[in-house]
Amino acid sequence: MEGWYCVKEQKRCVGWVETYFKDCLCNLRDDMSFGFGLVSLLCWGLAEIPQIVTNFRTKSSHGVSLLFLLTWVAGDVFNLVGCLLEPATLPTQLYTALLYTVNTIVLVLQSVYYDYVTKCCIDRKAKSDHTGEEEKTPLKGNKGVGYVGIPIPKASPKPTPRREFYYTSARSLAGSDTPPFRAFLRLPKSGPSALGNDSSSSDDESDTAAVFSHSAVTQPRPIPRSVGYGTFLAASANLPFQTKGFSDGFSGRKLLQEHSSHSGFGQLLGWLMAAIYMGGRLPQIWLNIKRGSVEGLNPLMFVFALIANATYVASIVVRSTEWESIKANMPWLLDAVVCVLLDLFIILQYIYYRRFRRQRQSGGGRDEFKDYEEATKHATL
Ligand SMILES: NC(=[NH2+])NCCC[C@H](N)C(=O)O
């Protein structure tokens, strides 16, 4: 294969970079830019793995906003389509895009499975258990001294033909010592919400029934989120981190930037993608505020994303500071810069809520959070 050539420096491009990354490194700036690009690629490859592991270990994904993940998927899908349609797409772009799209889809599937499918099954089981209980639990004749008002399933030694004796209604319960069904079958909130740290107390949480047992009090359970996230349409195009135009001898693909960033359509796609990606962080920030907690969230995802976006910006501006180049890359640059700031905010939220929670615990006599952590440990082993 005919090698590429750096005209100004009068030397050949770096061979392996040329072969595997279709980029040409002529000087120190190019080397640095390429290095930043590699770090960005690596960080995107790793970013979502810690959260996937956290979700898997806790068998829940209530710490991450599903809407946030969906905006990532939407942006990524358009990005991938753009990559496939665009002949100038660099191999690294395509692999990175594929990698984080797959990772994000795994996160979304986990979210749907743990927080919706599993919850649905628990609800159904609790309901059927309760129906069975209702039929078998007598309302009267059970109120001896020390009666705590909790119906004991199958407490009746032998069935009785008097059906009304077993009938339970809200009114009859209200008149009895027995707390209404939901009062004691309420799903124990997990983590801080179980300790009253959760300011959200979302309605769907309180509606959730679970099988009541002693262990359920200390076992962490997923905090369900409200459903109804909309589907987002987004278009995105990716900027190659190699933004340098090649010198004579470059006979293969042209750089994507030359194709799309200068075209009105490419720019439009870029701005749409930027809006979607930037807006995607807001549901996550809001979820943290609403819960007053970051339990279930792995901060490493945002640390890696922050580094990935920062090095992505660095790889572009180190390569060229010419206004023309910056202007053409504006949507991608702005997206990355804003995402860095938003990720920083989320990391600060994480630190704040962790500290805040610890302080609250140390204030109380009994360390309930320790109990919770213990329970989590046991639950995840
Ligand atoms: N699934 C992904 N990680 N996609 C990449 C998103 C890139 C975008 N700048 C962001 O930080 O949101």
Side-chain angles (χ1 to χ4, degrees):
M1 173 189 159
E2 198 185 312
W4 299 337
Y5 194 73
C6 307
V7 177
K8 205 166 145 215
E9 289 80 6
Q10 302 217 326
K11 62 171 194 172
R12 289 194 53 174
C13 307
V14 178
W16 67 274
V17 176
E18 184 186 322
T19 311
Y20 297 109
F21 294 93
K22 305 282 182 281
D23 195 7
C24 179
L25 308 183
C26 294
N27 50 43
L28 186 66
R29 281 172 83 120
D30 294 349
D31 293 347
M32 282 170 62
S33 165
F34 180 72
F36 282 130
L38 274 189
V39 175
S40 176
L41 196 151
L42 191 78
C43 286
W44 274 130
L46 294 174
E48 285 150 87
I49 292 172
Q51 187 63 53
I52 291 174
V53 173
T54 298
N55 291 354
F56 183 74
R57 292 182 61 184
T58 57
K59 299 282 175 278
S60 161
S61 59
H62 61 265
V64 199
S65 160
L66 182 57
L67 184 52
F68 161 52
L69 297 178
L70 287 178
T71 58
W72 257 1
V73 172
D76 294 349
V77 166
F78 281 93
N79 185 26
L80 261 181
V81 173
C83 282
L84 294 173
L85 291 181
E86 172 57 64
T89 299
L90 299 163
T92 44
Q93 271 180 273
L94 189 64
Y95 301 149
T96 317
L98 262 174
L99 193 67
Y100 59 55
T101 306
V102 169
N103 286 348
T104 312
I105 288 174
V106 171
L107 270 178
V108 169
L109 291 179
Q110 274 188 324
S111 207
V112 170
Y113 179 73
Y114 290 134
D115 288 358
Y116 294 96
V117 178
T118 315
K119 181 184 160 281
C120 244
C121 293
I122 292 174
D123 276 358
R124 214 174 296 154
K125 189 177 180 309
K127 239 176 233 160
S128 66
D129 283 0
H130 174 60
T131 316
E133 264 174 40
E134 271 186 355
E135 293 211 338
K136 286 169 194 154
T137 308
L139 283 176
K140 306 171 201 166
N142 226 357
K143 298 189 183 179
V145 180
Y147 172 60
V148 288
I150 297 174
I152 303 159
K154 301 185 185 90
S156 177
K158 55 181 173 147
T160 154
R162 293 192 57 199
R163 210 150 152 86
E164 67 275 16
F165 193 69
Y166 293 87
Y167 172 69
T168 307
S169 74
R171 207 185 301 162
S172 65
L173 279 172
S176 77
D177 293 344
T178 311
F181 169 61
R182 296 275 181 196
F184 57 83
L185 284 183
R186 181 171 294 193
L187 179 72
K189 292 171 186 174
S190 69
S193 45
L195 308 174
N197 259 1
D198 187 347
S199 56
S200 70
S201 323
S202 37
D203 293 336
D204 49 358
E205 275 173 42
S206 50
D207 272 355
T208 312
V211 184
F212 186 78
S213 68
H214 172 68
S215 66
V217 178
T218 48
Q219 292 293 317
R221 291 286 165 90
I223 300 171
R225 287 182 300 267
S226 43
V227 206
Y229 292 137
T231 310
F232 274 69
L233 279 184
S236 80
N238 202 6
L239 176 80
F241 56 78
Q242 301 89 341
T243 54
K244 186 184 170 66
F246 293 130
S247 321
D248 299 351
F250 175 48
S251 54
R253 300 154 157 236
K254 280 191 202 160
L255 287 175
L256 176 62
Q257 184 195 357
E258 291 172 15
H259 280 266
S260 59
S261 296
H262 286 103
S263 77
F265 188 59
Q267 283 283 310
L268 182 72
L269 291 185
W271 283 115
L272 270 170
M273 173 215 70
I276 292 291
Y277 276 149
M278 290 187 293
R281 297 296 198 283
L282 301 180
Q284 183 60 53
I285 291 173
W286 175 239
L287 180 74
N288 297 345
I289 295 172
K290 211 174 77 159
R291 296 166 67 218
S293 153
V294 283
E295 186 256 321
L297 189 70
N298 196 317
L300 283 180
M301 178 158 83
F302 296 97
V303 172
F304 277 126
L306 190 151
I307 301 171
N309 279 318
T311 46
Y312 183 76
V313 172
S315 76
I316 293 166
V317 293
V318 161
R319 193 71 74 111
S320 166
T321 42
E322 278 169 33
W323 173 240
E324 267 307 296
S325 151
I326 301 280
K327 201 174 126 198
N329 298 327
M330 212 41 154
W332 293 272
L333 282 171
L334 191 79
D335 162 56
V337 170
V338 172
C339 285
V340 164
L341 296 176
L342 293 174
D343 286 342
L344 194 66
F345 187 80
I346 293 174
I347 293 165
L348 290 176
Q349 268 191 324
Y350 187 87
I351 296 167
Y352 171 76
Y353 285 123
R354 295 290 289 205
R355 272 193 115 192
F356 180 66
R357 210 165 59 177
R358 284 226 175 92
Q359 269 167 13
R360 281 186 63 149
Q361 287 146 28
S362 53
R366 189 171 145 67
D367 197 345
E368 286 176 287
F369 184 67
K370 279 240 175 69
D371 285 351
Y372 160 72
E373 278 194 322
E374 270 303 300
T376 320
K377 224 184 276 164
H378 292 307
T380 55
L381 280 179

